[in-house]
Structures are given as C-alpha cells and as structure tokens.
Amino acid sequence: MKSAVETLNPTRVRLTVEVPFEELKDSLDAAYKKINQQVTVKGFRKGKIPARVIDQRFGRGAVLEEAVNDALPKLYTEAVNEAELNVLGQPEVDITELKDGETLNFTAEVDVRPTIEIPDFSGIEVEVDAVEVTDEDIDKAVEQLRERFASTSPVERAAEDGDVVTIDLQAKVDGEVLEDGVAEGVSYTIGSGELLDGIDDAVKGLEAGAEATFTSELKGGSAAGKEAEVTVKVTQVAARELPELDDEFAQLASEFDTLEELRADSRKRLENMKQYDQATQAQERVLEKLLELVEVPVPEKLLEDEINTRKHNLEHHQLGQMGLDLEKYLEIQGKTVEEFDAETEEAAVKGIKTQFVLDELVAKEKLNVNQEELTEHLMRRAASSGMSPDQFAQAVVQNNQVQLLVGEVARGKALALVVEASTVKDTNGELVDLDDEDEDETTEGSAETTEETPAAVEGSAEEKNEA
C-alpha cells in the first residue's frame, strides 16, 4: 500500500491511498464467507457454495463491494498511522478506482488537530477580587443559620410576610382542572419565591379557611409555560419564631460553646469560600489571556458537532428537567434565536480552542495522570452528578470514557501549570498565592461549572465520540 498526504488547510488533509489487489485477499475471503452464510443455492449446502458460483449467481461486483467495505477501515487506519496524523472525527472517503485483480485507489478527507505553538506564558498578569470578609457578611451567614433553626407555631390571624402557611392548590387551564394540578397540605413560606408567581399576594391577608384565585404561568408539569387559573386555600397560618442569638443558640446550631466561637468559624468558612472563588476567577482569567496569545484554527466540522452537542444537551437535558423548551427559555432570558446561536458558537469555539491548547501543553510538558489523581477526579465528578463513586465509575467504564476522564485531569494540570507561572494580583494590588491544592480544585471547578469552557475539562463533541 502507498499513501500520500495533501494539506488542504491548517485543520484538514486529504489522504490518497493506492492498494495492490493482493492486499485485499483476506477481505475477499471474508466477503465470500459472509455471503455464503446469507444465501442458499440449490445443490449446495449452506456455507459450502464455491466462489465461482457466487460470482455467477450474485455477481462479482457484490463480492468486491463487500470486500472493500471490510478493508477500507483497516486501510484508512494504516494510512493515518503511517502519516502520523492526529485525526478528528470521521473521514469522507471516495473510491477513485477499483480494478478487479489490479488495484484499489481511494481518497479520504479528514479533519486533523492543528499545529499549535505554545508561547512563553510566564508574562501573563491578571487581576482578581480581593478576599475580604466583613462583619456584615458574618451577620448574614449567622442569620441564615438562625433561619434554619426557626420554629413555627399556629396563629389565629391573617397571613403576613414570613409566615408559614399550609395550603391546598388547584390549577385550571382553559377551565379544566389539570390531572397534575391539584396539591394538598403544601407548606409554603410567604416571600420565599419557591412556588408560583403571584401566590404571595394571593395568600397575604387570608386567615385559615379562606381562599383566593389568581392567574400564574405554570413552571412545570403537563401544562408548563401555560397561563393557569390557580385557586389557593389556606388551611393553617403559622408564625416563624427565630431563636435568640446567644451562646445557647451556638450550642444548638453547631459544635461550639459560644456565639463568639460560632462567628469566628463563620468568618473562616467565608474566607475559604472567597479564596476558592478567587482561585476560580484566576483560572478563568489566566485561561482567557493564554488563548489570546495562541493562534488556534478550528475545524469546521468539529465546531458544527460541538454546537449541536451543546444545543442538544441544553434542550433535552437541562431545559427538560426544568419543564421548559428552547423558545420559553429564550423568552425568559430575553434573547433572540440569533443571539443564542451566536453565543453558543462563541462558547463552542472557546471550548475547542481551550482543549487544543491545554492538550498541547500536556504533550509539551509530558504531564502524566496517576491513579490517585484519577480517583480523586472521579469522586468529584460523581458527587457533582449526584451518583455514588461506584455508580459513576461503572458508567465511565461501560461507556468507554476512562480516557476522557484522564484527559480532563491532564488538562486541569496543564492549566494549573500556567496559573502557577502567571502573576495574579487582587484588586488591592496584593500578590495572590495559589497553592497546588487550590489550583487543582479550581481547575475542575472553573471548567466544569462555567458555560464558557466546559470543553476544557469535559472534552469536545469529537473527543466524546472517539471515547
């Protein structure tokens, strides 16, 4: 077999392959064997039909077609390996010549990873928010804890803001009560915003036994997105009573003996959270600076697949869980279809570029992933997906995505390397020291939770298809 490579553009090549006919012998034998198992010819046992009879009865062309279909994947892979190409996605194959007994010639156009030059990134400088915890922040945190330990007691008066009411609900659309539009004994805190729009105004001022009707757009269920006439009946009004802020509360709500110790612990927790957010911000901003330094061409087909993958995940997974369709989602967001498409493409481009650059860094710096790192990453991903580590690991193995996870960890290490070499200052002009543990954690956090760069950790559509 002879092959040659023609570069069509920085991300696409054409392979031209010439195959002597004798190299198709194994595939021809396999084709005759397969056809033998599929057909019957009077006078011959199944599977014992001679090749000449198959040629006469079914045509040599059918045998050649079967043989070529069998041989092409192997021949293409050999040509790719011989040329040391880093291909992306599936090739477009065109058989240019097939002469029985002589030769098979074909071309294969396929996207390839672009050649990327990683520049010196040690000069990258970014600014992040300073870690500052105020007394007001602590007051708010303690108050939230206090809210969790509030008690309720029934009162014989009209419902007010902050009260907990027990209510029965009935929703009608076009005058018909919905099958899933009836609920009884629902506990609701007035002002929490956890139920339907308009319910707060409807129940405020009502005593136990009173009811009101209001119109609201349903957020979920069989009639999600539709206007409904909702009848709400209050069966009980209960006032919330907050515990006193004293040492006794600290002992009730925590492992601490005094309120002062509880407040000190709250300060420490808030500082840790803000440091985590700061490290995440540093990751994101360093990544943006890095991408500005590197020229990264993006394959058109890969970009198309990535855009389609993002749209599919949004429409069929995220929005589906919320009972929304894309049209309603865009209405809520105040965006046009054109704006949504432009934002999706921009995010897809950034995700692909991020993956290419970080993968190049992994190769350049010879970064490896050990079992401990992979296990830690798997456990974090399992927790974020709501699955147990064993369930998540089993799903990864069954879907052949182990290498995808390895790639996520490796790219996280590459990005941490760039952050370590960069200068990070806070808004007060102070240098920020991001230790290794913070960098590892926030690499995963920034890439998994931001819409802009999920491909940095989770892989592009192409990588997932390959996995």
Side-chain angles (χ1 to χ4, degrees), residues 325-353:
D325 58 19
L326 182 59
E327 182 180 357
K328 189 61 184 177
Y329 169 75
L330 294 180
E331 181 182 329
I332 294 172
Q333 295 291 315
K335 296 177 183 177
T336 65
V337 173
E338 291 74 20
E339 289 171 335
F340 169 74
D341 287 343
E343 289 178 4
T344 303
E345 180 174 350
E346 182 181 358
V349 168
K350 183 176 181 181
I352 293 171
K353 286 184 175 182

PDB file of all heavy atoms in Angstrom, residues 325-353:
ATOM      1  N   ASP A 325     -39.003  24.562  27.159  1.00  0.00           N
ATOM      2  CA  ASP A 325     -38.450  24.325  25.836  1.00  0.00           C
ATOM      3  C   ASP A 325     -37.560  25.512  25.480  1.00  0.00           C
ATOM      4  O   ASP A 325     -37.492  26.506  26.218  1.00  0.00           O
ATOM      5  CB  ASP A 325     -39.548  24.115  24.781  1.00  0.00           C
ATOM      6  CG  ASP A 325     -40.507  25.296  24.687  1.00  0.00           C
ATOM      7  OD1 ASP A 325     -40.153  26.409  25.152  1.00  0.00           O
ATOM      8  OD2 ASP A 325     -41.616  25.123  24.150  1.00  0.00           O
ATOM      9  N   LEU A 326     -36.875  25.420  24.338  1.00  0.00           N
ATOM     10  CA  LEU A 326     -35.915  26.454  23.976  1.00  0.00           C
ATOM     11  C   LEU A 326     -36.595  27.802  23.780  1.00  0.00           C
ATOM     12  O   LEU A 326     -36.064  28.850  24.197  1.00  0.00           O
ATOM     13  CB  LEU A 326     -35.168  26.047  22.700  1.00  0.00           C
ATOM     14  CG  LEU A 326     -34.082  27.021  22.221  1.00  0.00           C
ATOM     15  CD1 LEU A 326     -33.020  27.200  23.306  1.00  0.00           C
ATOM     16  CD2 LEU A 326     -33.451  26.528  20.925  1.00  0.00           C
ATOM     17  N   GLU A 327     -37.773  27.791  23.169  1.00  0.00           N
ATOM     18  CA  GLU A 327     -38.484  29.044  22.924  1.00  0.00           C
ATOM     19  C   GLU A 327     -38.785  29.769  24.233  1.00  0.00           C
ATOM     20  O   GLU A 327     -38.573  30.984  24.353  1.00  0.00           O
ATOM     21  CB  GLU A 327     -39.784  28.761  22.159  1.00  0.00           C
ATOM     22  CG  GLU A 327     -40.569  30.014  21.809  1.00  0.00           C
ATOM     23  CD  GLU A 327     -41.850  29.693  21.039  1.00  0.00           C
ATOM     24  OE1 GLU A 327     -42.081  28.506  20.735  1.00  0.00           O
ATOM     25  OE2 GLU A 327     -42.617  30.638  20.758  1.00  0.00           O
ATOM     26  N   LYS A 328     -39.288  29.027  25.217  1.00  0.00           N
ATOM     27  CA  LYS A 328     -39.609  29.634  26.507  1.00  0.00           C
ATOM     28  C   LYS A 328     -38.350  30.093  27.215  1.00  0.00           C
ATOM     29  O   LYS A 328     -38.326  31.157  27.860  1.00  0.00           O
ATOM     30  CB  LYS A 328     -40.380  28.628  27.366  1.00  0.00           C
ATOM     31  CG  LYS A 328     -40.943  29.247  28.637  1.00  0.00           C
ATOM     32  CD  LYS A 328     -41.926  30.351  28.308  1.00  0.00           C
ATOM     33  CE  LYS A 328     -42.441  31.062  29.541  1.00  0.00           C
ATOM     34  NZ  LYS A 328     -43.345  32.171  29.184  1.00  0.00           N
ATOM     35  N   TYR A 329     -37.300  29.306  27.120  1.00  0.00           N
ATOM     36  CA  TYR A 329     -36.028  29.659  27.750  1.00  0.00           C
ATOM     37  C   TYR A 329     -35.502  30.985  27.204  1.00  0.00           C
ATOM     38  O   TYR A 329     -35.066  31.860  27.966  1.00  0.00           O
ATOM     39  CB  TYR A 329     -35.012  28.536  27.511  1.00  0.00           C
ATOM     40  CG  TYR A 329     -33.594  28.882  27.867  1.00  0.00           C
ATOM     41  CD1 TYR A 329     -33.179  28.936  29.197  1.00  0.00           C
ATOM     42  CD2 TYR A 329     -32.651  29.149  26.874  1.00  0.00           C
ATOM     43  CE1 TYR A 329     -31.870  29.256  29.527  1.00  0.00           C
ATOM     44  CE2 TYR A 329     -31.341  29.468  27.194  1.00  0.00           C
ATOM     45  CZ  TYR A 329     -30.952  29.515  28.520  1.00  0.00           C
ATOM     46  OH  TYR A 329     -29.655  29.830  28.835  1.00  0.00           O
ATOM     47  N   LEU A 330     -35.546  31.141  25.878  1.00  0.00           N
ATOM     48  CA  LEU A 330     -35.061  32.373  25.263  1.00  0.00           C
ATOM     49  C   LEU A 330     -35.925  33.562  25.676  1.00  0.00           C
ATOM     50  O   LEU A 330     -35.419  34.669  25.859  1.00  0.00           O
ATOM     51  CB  LEU A 330     -35.037  32.228  23.739  1.00  0.00           C
ATOM     52  CG  LEU A 330     -34.038  31.215  23.182  1.00  0.00           C
ATOM     53  CD1 LEU A 330     -34.108  31.171  21.660  1.00  0.00           C
ATOM     54  CD2 LEU A 330     -32.627  31.552  23.630  1.00  0.00           C
ATOM     55  N   GLU A 331     -37.216  33.309  25.827  1.00  0.00           N
ATOM     56  CA  GLU A 331     -38.117  34.382  26.263  1.00  0.00           C
ATOM     57  C   GLU A 331     -37.747  34.844  27.671  1.00  0.00           C
ATOM     58  O   GLU A 331     -37.692  36.051  27.950  1.00  0.00           O
ATOM     59  CB  GLU A 331     -39.562  33.878  26.235  1.00  0.00           C
ATOM     60  CG  GLU A 331     -40.590  34.927  26.650  1.00  0.00           C
ATOM     61  CD  GLU A 331     -42.005  34.367  26.662  1.00  0.00           C
ATOM     62  OE1 GLU A 331     -42.309  33.462  25.848  1.00  0.00           O
ATOM     63  OE2 GLU A 331     -42.809  34.834  27.497  1.00  0.00           O
ATOM     64  N   ILE A 332     -37.477  33.888  28.552  1.00  0.00           N
ATOM     65  CA  ILE A 332     -37.084  34.221  29.927  1.00  0.00           C
ATOM     66  C   ILE A 332     -35.756  34.970  29.942  1.00  0.00           C
ATOM     67  O   ILE A 332     -35.575  35.928  30.701  1.00  0.00           O
ATOM     68  CB  ILE A 332     -36.993  32.940  30.776  1.00  0.00           C
ATOM     69  CG1 ILE A 332     -38.373  32.303  30.939  1.00  0.00           C
ATOM     70  CG2 ILE A 332     -36.386  33.228  32.144  1.00  0.00           C
ATOM     71  CD1 ILE A 332     -38.349  30.943  31.602  1.00  0.00           C
ATOM     72  N   GLN A 333     -34.832  34.532  29.089  1.00  0.00           N
ATOM     73  CA  GLN A 333     -33.515  35.158  29.023  1.00  0.00           C
ATOM     74  C   GLN A 333     -33.527  36.494  28.294  1.00  0.00           C
ATOM     75  O   GLN A 333     -32.558  37.258  28.366  1.00  0.00           O
ATOM     76  CB  GLN A 333     -32.520  34.210  28.329  1.00  0.00           C
ATOM     77  CG  GLN A 333     -32.232  32.933  29.083  1.00  0.00           C
ATOM     78  CD  GLN A 333     -31.458  33.174  30.351  1.00  0.00           C
ATOM     79  OE1 GLN A 333     -30.491  33.933  30.356  1.00  0.00           O
ATOM     80  NE2 GLN A 333     -31.869  32.547  31.439  1.00  0.00           N
ATOM     81  N   GLY A 334     -34.609  36.762  27.578  1.00  0.00           N
ATOM     82  CA  GLY A 334     -34.682  37.993  26.796  1.00  0.00           C
ATOM     83  C   GLY A 334     -33.730  37.996  25.618  1.00  0.00           C
ATOM     84  O   GLY A 334     -33.153  39.025  25.265  1.00  0.00           O
ATOM     85  N   LYS A 335     -33.577  36.832  24.975  1.00  0.00           N
ATOM     86  CA  LYS A 335     -32.647  36.689  23.855  1.00  0.00           C
ATOM     87  C   LYS A 335     -33.384  36.247  22.608  1.00  0.00           C
ATOM     88  O   LYS A 335     -34.392  35.543  22.688  1.00  0.00           O
ATOM     89  CB  LYS A 335     -31.558  35.656  24.172  1.00  0.00           C
ATOM     90  CG  LYS A 335     -30.639  36.023  25.304  1.00  0.00           C
ATOM     91  CD  LYS A 335     -29.638  34.896  25.576  1.00  0.00           C
ATOM     92  CE  LYS A 335     -28.750  35.225  26.759  1.00  0.00           C
ATOM     93  NZ  LYS A 335     -27.821  34.097  27.068  1.00  0.00           N
ATOM     94  N   THR A 336     -32.851  36.645  21.460  1.00  0.00           N
ATOM     95  CA  THR A 336     -33.372  36.157  20.189  1.00  0.00           C
ATOM     96  C   THR A 336     -32.659  34.859  19.828  1.00  0.00           C
ATOM     97  O   THR A 336     -31.619  34.521  20.408  1.00  0.00           O
ATOM     98  CB  THR A 336     -33.147  37.180  19.072  1.00  0.00           C
ATOM     99  OG1 THR A 336     -31.724  37.335  18.859  1.00  0.00           O
ATOM    100  CG2 THR A 336     -33.752  38.536  19.429  1.00  0.00           C
ATOM    101  N   VAL A 337     -33.220  34.135  18.859  1.00  0.00           N
ATOM    102  CA  VAL A 337     -32.581  32.907  18.388  1.00  0.00           C
ATOM    103  C   VAL A 337     -31.193  33.218  17.838  1.00  0.00           C
ATOM    104  O   VAL A 337     -30.230  32.462  18.053  1.00  0.00           O
ATOM    105  CB  VAL A 337     -33.449  32.217  17.320  1.00  0.00           C
ATOM    106  CG1 VAL A 337     -32.707  31.026  16.715  1.00  0.00           C
ATOM    107  CG2 VAL A 337     -34.775  31.752  17.907  1.00  0.00           C
ATOM    108  N   GLU A 338     -31.088  34.347  17.130  1.00  0.00           N
ATOM    109  CA  GLU A 338     -29.802  34.736  16.539  1.00  0.00           C
ATOM    110  C   GLU A 338     -28.757  34.999  17.634  1.00  0.00           C
ATOM    111  O   GLU A 338     -27.585  34.596  17.508  1.00  0.00           O
ATOM    112  CB  GLU A 338     -29.972  35.981  15.672  1.00  0.00           C
ATOM    113  CG  GLU A 338     -30.770  35.771  14.390  1.00  0.00           C
ATOM    114  CD  GLU A 338     -32.269  35.617  14.632  1.00  0.00           C
ATOM    115  OE1 GLU A 338     -32.747  36.053  15.716  1.00  0.00           O
ATOM    116  OE2 GLU A 338     -32.955  35.054  13.759  1.00  0.00           O
ATOM    117  N   GLU A 339     -29.174  35.667  18.703  1.00  0.00           N
ATOM    118  CA  GLU A 339     -28.247  35.938  19.810  1.00  0.00           C
ATOM    119  C   GLU A 339     -27.831  34.640  20.495  1.00  0.00           C
ATOM    120  O   GLU A 339     -26.651  34.454  20.843  1.00  0.00           O
ATOM    121  CB  GLU A 339     -28.905  36.876  20.820  1.00  0.00           C
ATOM    122  CG  GLU A 339     -29.065  38.304  20.318  1.00  0.00           C
ATOM    123  CD  GLU A 339     -29.911  39.168  21.253  1.00  0.00           C
ATOM    124  OE1 GLU A 339     -30.737  38.590  22.002  1.00  0.00           O
ATOM    125  OE2 GLU A 339     -29.746  40.399  21.236  1.00  0.00           O
ATOM    126  N   PHE A 340     -28.789  33.745  20.686  1.00  0.00           N
ATOM    127  CA  PHE A 340     -28.487  32.455  21.298  1.00  0.00           C
ATOM    128  C   PHE A 340     -27.499  31.663  20.447  1.00  0.00           C
ATOM    129  O   PHE A 340     -26.529  31.094  20.958  1.00  0.00           O
ATOM    130  CB  PHE A 340     -29.778  31.659  21.493  1.00  0.00           C
ATOM    131  CG  PHE A 340     -29.559  30.218  21.865  1.00  0.00           C
ATOM    132  CD1 PHE A 340     -29.139  29.868  23.139  1.00  0.00           C
ATOM    133  CD2 PHE A 340     -29.763  29.211  20.933  1.00  0.00           C
ATOM    134  CE1 PHE A 340     -28.937  28.541  23.485  1.00  0.00           C
ATOM    135  CE2 PHE A 340     -29.562  27.884  21.264  1.00  0.00           C
ATOM    136  CZ  PHE A 340     -29.141  27.550  22.552  1.00  0.00           C
ATOM    137  N   ASP A 341     -27.734  31.626  19.129  1.00  0.00           N
ATOM    138  CA  ASP A 341     -26.845  30.891  18.227  1.00  0.00           C
ATOM    139  C   ASP A 341     -25.436  31.473  18.257  1.00  0.00           C
ATOM    140  O   ASP A 341     -24.445  30.734  18.263  1.00  0.00           O
ATOM    141  CB  ASP A 341     -27.388  30.925  16.796  1.00  0.00           C
ATOM    142  CG  ASP A 341     -28.602  30.022  16.619  1.00  0.00           C
ATOM    143  OD1 ASP A 341     -28.815  29.144  17.480  1.00  0.00           O
ATOM    144  OD2 ASP A 341     -29.336  30.194  15.623  1.00  0.00           O
ATOM    145  N   ALA A 342     -25.351  32.809  18.268  1.00  0.00           N
ATOM    146  CA  ALA A 342     -24.041  33.461  18.277  1.00  0.00           C
ATOM    147  C   ALA A 342     -23.290  33.152  19.574  1.00  0.00           C
ATOM    148  O   ALA A 342     -22.082  32.866  19.558  1.00  0.00           O
ATOM    149  CB  ALA A 342     -24.204  34.971  18.108  1.00  0.00           C
ATOM    150  N   GLU A 343     -24.002  33.187  20.700  1.00  0.00           N
ATOM    151  CA  GLU A 343     -23.368  32.890  21.989  1.00  0.00           C
ATOM    152  C   GLU A 343     -22.935  31.428  22.066  1.00  0.00           C
ATOM    153  O   GLU A 343     -21.865  31.118  22.606  1.00  0.00           O
ATOM    154  CB  GLU A 343     -24.334  33.211  23.128  1.00  0.00           C
ATOM    155  CG  GLU A 343     -24.569  34.704  23.329  1.00  0.00           C
ATOM    156  CD  GLU A 343     -25.574  34.982  24.431  1.00  0.00           C
ATOM    157  OE1 GLU A 343     -26.025  34.002  25.078  1.00  0.00           O
ATOM    158  OE2 GLU A 343     -25.915  36.161  24.647  1.00  0.00           O
ATOM    159  N   THR A 344     -23.766  30.536  21.532  1.00  0.00           N
ATOM    160  CA  THR A 344     -23.424  29.107  21.553  1.00  0.00           C
ATOM    161  C   THR A 344     -22.181  28.850  20.712  1.00  0.00           C
ATOM    162  O   THR A 344     -21.288  28.091  21.117  1.00  0.00           O
ATOM    163  CB  THR A 344     -24.601  28.267  21.032  1.00  0.00           C
ATOM    164  OG1 THR A 344     -25.765  28.519  21.814  1.00  0.00           O
ATOM    165  CG2 THR A 344     -24.271  26.781  21.102  1.00  0.00           C
ATOM    166  N   GLU A 345     -22.117  29.469  19.549  1.00  0.00           N
ATOM    167  CA  GLU A 345     -20.940  29.287  18.692  1.00  0.00           C
ATOM    168  C   GLU A 345     -19.684  29.846  19.353  1.00  0.00           C
ATOM    169  O   GLU A 345     -18.613  29.219  19.319  1.00  0.00           O
ATOM    170  CB  GLU A 345     -21.156  29.975  17.340  1.00  0.00           C
ATOM    171  CG  GLU A 345     -19.961  29.812  16.405  1.00  0.00           C
ATOM    172  CD  GLU A 345     -20.214  30.369  15.010  1.00  0.00           C
ATOM    173  OE1 GLU A 345     -21.375  30.704  14.698  1.00  0.00           O
ATOM    174  OE2 GLU A 345     -19.250  30.471  14.233  1.00  0.00           O
ATOM    175  N   GLU A 346     -19.816  31.015  19.968  1.00  0.00           N
ATOM    176  CA  GLU A 346     -18.661  31.615  20.648  1.00  0.00           C
ATOM    177  C   GLU A 346     -18.143  30.710  21.761  1.00  0.00           C
ATOM    178  O   GLU A 346     -16.936  30.499  21.913  1.00  0.00           O
ATOM    179  CB  GLU A 346     -19.059  32.980  21.223  1.00  0.00           C
ATOM    180  CG  GLU A 346     -17.911  33.703  21.914  1.00  0.00           C
ATOM    181  CD  GLU A 346     -18.336  35.045  22.503  1.00  0.00           C
ATOM    182  OE1 GLU A 346     -19.514  35.429  22.332  1.00  0.00           O
ATOM    183  OE2 GLU A 346     -17.488  35.706  23.141  1.00  0.00           O
ATOM    184  N   ALA A 347     -19.079  30.156  22.546  1.00  0.00           N
ATOM    185  CA  ALA A 347     -18.682  29.260  23.634  1.00  0.00           C
ATOM    186  C   ALA A 347     -18.053  27.979  23.096  1.00  0.00           C
ATOM    187  O   ALA A 347     -17.089  27.454  23.662  1.00  0.00           O
ATOM    188  CB  ALA A 347     -19.895  28.928  24.504  1.00  0.00           C
ATOM    189  N   ALA A 348     -18.600  27.464  21.982  1.00  0.00           N
ATOM    190  CA  ALA A 348     -18.057  26.241  21.381  1.00  0.00           C
ATOM    191  C   ALA A 348     -16.649  26.470  20.862  1.00  0.00           C
ATOM    192  O   ALA A 348     -15.759  25.633  21.050  1.00  0.00           O
ATOM    193  CB  ALA A 348     -18.978  25.764  20.259  1.00  0.00           C
ATOM    194  N   VAL A 349     -16.440  27.603  20.204  1.00  0.00           N
ATOM    195  CA  VAL A 349     -15.102  27.939  19.685  1.00  0.00           C
ATOM    196  C   VAL A 349     -14.103  28.016  20.838  1.00  0.00           C
ATOM    197  O   VAL A 349     -13.005  27.462  20.771  1.00  0.00           O
ATOM    198  CB  VAL A 349     -15.137  29.267  18.908  1.00  0.00           C
ATOM    199  CG1 VAL A 349     -13.719  29.758  18.628  1.00  0.00           C
ATOM    200  CG2 VAL A 349     -15.885  29.098  17.596  1.00  0.00           C
ATOM    201  N   LYS A 350     -14.506  28.694  21.907  1.00  0.00           N
ATOM    202  CA  LYS A 350     -13.598  28.833  23.049  1.00  0.00           C
ATOM    203  C   LYS A 350     -13.313  27.471  23.682  1.00  0.00           C
ATOM    204  O   LYS A 350     -12.174  27.178  24.069  1.00  0.00           O
ATOM    205  CB  LYS A 350     -14.210  29.771  24.086  1.00  0.00           C
ATOM    206  CG  LYS A 350     -13.277  30.022  25.267  1.00  0.00           C
ATOM    207  CD  LYS A 350     -13.869  31.020  26.236  1.00  0.00           C
ATOM    208  CE  LYS A 350     -12.913  31.274  27.402  1.00  0.00           C
ATOM    209  NZ  LYS A 350     -13.463  32.226  28.387  1.00  0.00           N
ATOM    210  N   GLY A 351     -14.335  26.636  23.779  1.00  0.00           N
ATOM    211  CA  GLY A 351     -14.129  25.322  24.363  1.00  0.00           C
ATOM    212  C   GLY A 351     -13.153  24.473  23.561  1.00  0.00           C
ATOM    213  O   GLY A 351     -12.276  23.819  24.119  1.00  0.00           O
ATOM    214  N   ILE A 352     -13.308  24.493  22.229  1.00  0.00           N
ATOM    215  CA  ILE A 352     -12.415  23.705  21.367  1.00  0.00           C
ATOM    216  C   ILE A 352     -10.993  24.240  21.433  1.00  0.00           C
ATOM    217  O   ILE A 352     -10.021  23.474  21.554  1.00  0.00           O
ATOM    218  CB  ILE A 352     -12.938  23.711  19.921  1.00  0.00           C
ATOM    219  CG1 ILE A 352     -14.260  22.945  19.832  1.00  0.00           C
ATOM    220  CG2 ILE A 352     -11.905  23.101  18.972  1.00  0.00           C
ATOM    221  CD1 ILE A 352     -14.962  23.078  18.503  1.00  0.00           C
ATOM    222  N   LYS A 353     -10.842  25.566  21.361  1.00  0.00           N
ATOM    223  CA  LYS A 353      -9.506  26.155  21.438  1.00  0.00           C
ATOM    224  C   LYS A 353      -8.841  25.817  22.767  1.00  0.00           C
ATOM    225  O   LYS A 353      -7.645  25.497  22.820  1.00  0.00           O
ATOM    226  CB  LYS A 353      -9.596  27.672  21.273  1.00  0.00           C
ATOM    227  CG  LYS A 353      -9.886  28.128  19.851  1.00  0.00           C
ATOM    228  CD  LYS A 353      -9.854  29.658  19.745  1.00  0.00           C
ATOM    229  CE  LYS A 353     -10.030  30.112  18.299  1.00  0.00           C
ATOM    230  NZ  LYS A 353      -9.966  31.589  18.169  1.00  0.00           N
TER     231      LYS A 353
END
